[in-house]
Amino acid sequence: RLLALAVMGLGALGWFLTLGRPMLFLLCKIMEITVRCLRVLLLPWKKTVDFLRKIAKKGFHFCRKRFTITLSQVKPVIKSGRVTVDGGPVKDPAAKVDPKTQKICLDGQVLGGWERLVVMMNKPEGYVTATEDARDATVMELLPPELRGKDLKPVGRLDKATEGLLLFTNDGDLLHSLISPKKQVPKVYYARHEGTATQEDVEIFRQGLTLRDGTVCLPADLEPLGPGESRITVCEGKYHQVRRMMASRGMTVNYLERRQEAELVLGDLPRGQVRVLTEEEVQALLHK
């Protein structure tokens, strides 16, 4: 019996060396393709939906590098026409989409659920501009319950003692655009201060002054409104910038309020209250 088994083994080995290797290679390829197909077919529904939600948020083009699930795993889902953009099927997995302006669905179910949100607050004194703080109350605590959990972040900052217009958004690109000095987004402040601004002060602000610690400020507008009152327009947001600029000219600020950012005006929004910007207002910010 052992001899028979040995002969059979030698025969099988000879068969493998002659014809078996190509067939085994082909069999392995078939198994590999089968496994890949099964991974897609057996992909949990929740995982597929989660991935496609990420597609809705980021766009098809960037998913390959950003998520653990691979783009090839959802290609059959996309190519089958089950994913629609603005009501029409999109079968190209490499297609680029804009979730901010386009409706993306899987089997008729809206994916992502994300939309750009921009909120204006009339910040009161006594709150720090931060998402959290161990010592002080933050501006996030002033947001109404329905706006919490929306991933809103303050656009720039107002110091604890400063009041007025403060924007929040969940759009990172818009946030960075509004706070970047390169974009030259004007921010208008009303200040009550010691002393009275002179024409010399106006010229120094217009040229761009240097603070006592060596900080160089971009050119700004200083408009005297009367004894102890001024309107200041800056296009950047350095630490306590307006207060420090005024102090460098001997005008200590006692009260400061931001009243305008870009084309947005604080208006009659009550102190401590918020409102969601209209689409027209958001578009005006986007095109600054």
Side-chain angles (χ1 to χ4, degrees):
R1 183 176 297 178
L2 291 175
L3 180 61
L5 290 174
V7 171
M8 290 175 62
L10 290 173
L13 179 61
W15 177 83
F16 173 78
L17 293 175
T18 54
L19 298 176
R21 180 177 294 180
M23 294 184 66
L24 183 61
F25 177 79
L26 179 61
L27 180 62
C28 289
K29 280 295 181 184
I30 293 173
M31 290 178 64
E32 180 182 352
I33 294 172
T34 302
V35 169
R36 289 184 178 179
C37 291
L38 287 175
R39 287 177 65 187
V40 172
L41 293 175
L42 299 179
L43 190 67
W45 172 254
K46 183 179 182 302
K47 197 171 184 181
T48 303
V49 171
D50 288 345
F51 177 70
L52 288 173
R53 280 178 178 154
K54 292 170 182 175
I55 288 178
K57 185 175 181 181
K58 299 293 184 179
F60 298 127
H61 184 68
F62 302 100
C63 291
R64 182 165 46 250
K65 296 180 179 179
R66 290 176 180 248
F67 307 111
T68 55
I69 185 172
T70 64
L71 185 58
S72 62
Q73 289 176 303
V74 293
K75 277 184 177 180
V77 177
I78 299 171
K79 289 182 176 180
S80 68
R82 294 167 59 190
V83 177
T84 61
V85 178
D86 290 337
V90 175
K91 299 184 179 182
D92 181 7
K96 294 183 180 180
V97 296
D98 184 358
K100 302 172 184 177
T101 59
Q102 295 176 293
K103 183 180 180 181
I104 304 168
C105 299
L106 171 64
D107 294 338
Q109 178 185 356
V110 179
L111 299 177
W114 184 93
E115 60 178 332
R116 182 192 294 110
L117 186 61
V118 186
V119 175
M120 178 194 293
M121 173 184 290
N122 188 341
K123 175 191 173 296
E125 181 183 3
Y127 291 82
V128 296
T129 306
T131 54
E132 58 182 16
D133 190 277
R135 296 178 301 174
D136 298 309
T138 73
V139 291
M140 306 303 291
E141 299 172 31
L142 296 171
L143 293 174
E146 62 270 19
L147 292 179
R148 297 176 187 178
K150 298 286 188 179
D151 197 31
L152 290 170
K153 300 291 191 304
V155 179
R157 66 172 56 239
L158 293 178
D159 63 55
K160 186 176 179 180
T162 300
E163 299 184 327
L165 192 158
L166 179 64
L167 295 178
F168 297 76
T169 185
N170 60 350
D171 186 337
D173 292 337
L174 175 59
L175 188 153
H176 291 296
S177 174
L178 291 174
I179 65 176
S180 172
K182 295 180 180 179
K183 296 294 184 178
Q184 296 284 297
V185 177
K187 303 169 184 66
V188 182
Y189 295 81
Y190 165 77
R192 290 197 294 266
H193 51 81
E194 297 177 4
T196 300
T198 65
Q199 187 59 37
E200 181 183 359
D201 296 323
V202 173
E203 291 300 325
I204 293 294
F205 268 60
R206 185 174 297 152
Q207 295 169 15
L209 56 78
T210 300
L211 302 178
R212 294 167 184 169
D213 64 355
T215 300
V216 178
C217 299
L218 293 176
D221 288 333
L222 173 62
E223 180 184 352
L225 300 177
E229 292 184 286
S230 296
R231 182 182 294 114
I232 304 101
T233 303
V234 297
C235 294
E236 54 184 342
K238 293 184 170 71
Y239 179 72
H240 289 180
Q241 180 175 348
V242 174
R243 293 178 183 273
R244 294 165 67 199
M245 290 172 70
M246 295 294 285
S248 73
R249 301 298 301 169
M251 295 177 285
T252 301
V253 172
N254 301 316
Y255 175 79
L256 188 63
E257 178 187 50
R258 183 193 285 167
R259 293 185 171 178
Q260 183 174 343
E261 182 164 356
E263 302 303 320
L264 289 173
V265 178
L266 185 61
D268 57 0
L269 181 66
R271 193 79 73 199
Q273 298 299 306
V274 304
R275 72 173 180 87
V276 178
L277 298 192
T278 65
E279 183 60 27
E280 291 76 15
E281 290 173 321
V282 172
Q283 290 301 317
L285 287 177
L286 289 172
H287 293 94
K288 284 301 296 178

